[in-house]
Amino acid sequence: MPAKKLLQVTLVRSPIGCPKDQKATVKAMGLNKIGKTVTLPDNPSVRGMIRKVAHLVRWQELTVEGGQN
């Protein structure tokens, strides 16, 4: 099984004062408090969300090896 790519995203700045669409993007990613970290799949839609609020978040790529079933 190939390695699964994930993105670890942390909210580092408050979305207060940002446009509503950016606040909605932060909420859709599951980030509601500064310092909260979520792990999301690495796909184009999540990459687009990160790009939209890049000034509010910090992110890094993770690779998870497939396990045995």
Side-chain angles (χ1 to χ4, degrees):
M1 178 181 248
K4 186 176 180 182
K5 290 187 178 182
L6 299 173
L7 297 171
Q8 190 174 35
V9 185
T10 303
L11 186 63
V12 294
R13 290 192 60 207
S14 173
I16 293 174
C18 292
K20 287 183 181 180
D21 61 333
Q22 292 179 6
K23 289 180 184 181
T25 300
V26 168
K27 186 175 180 180
M29 293 171 70
L31 299 168
N32 53 9
K33 291 185 179 184
I34 294 175
K36 179 158 182 173
T37 301
V38 295
T39 303
L40 301 169
D42 186 2
N43 58 45
S45 63
V46 172
R47 292 266 181 173
M49 293 170 82
I50 291 171
R51 191 173 298 117
K52 185 170 190 169
V53 294
H55 58 290
L56 302 176
V57 299
R58 182 180 309 132
W59 63 276
Q60 68 180 16
E61 294 181 6
L62 302 175
T63 302
V64 178
E65 296 297 324
Q68 291 180 338
N69 288 354

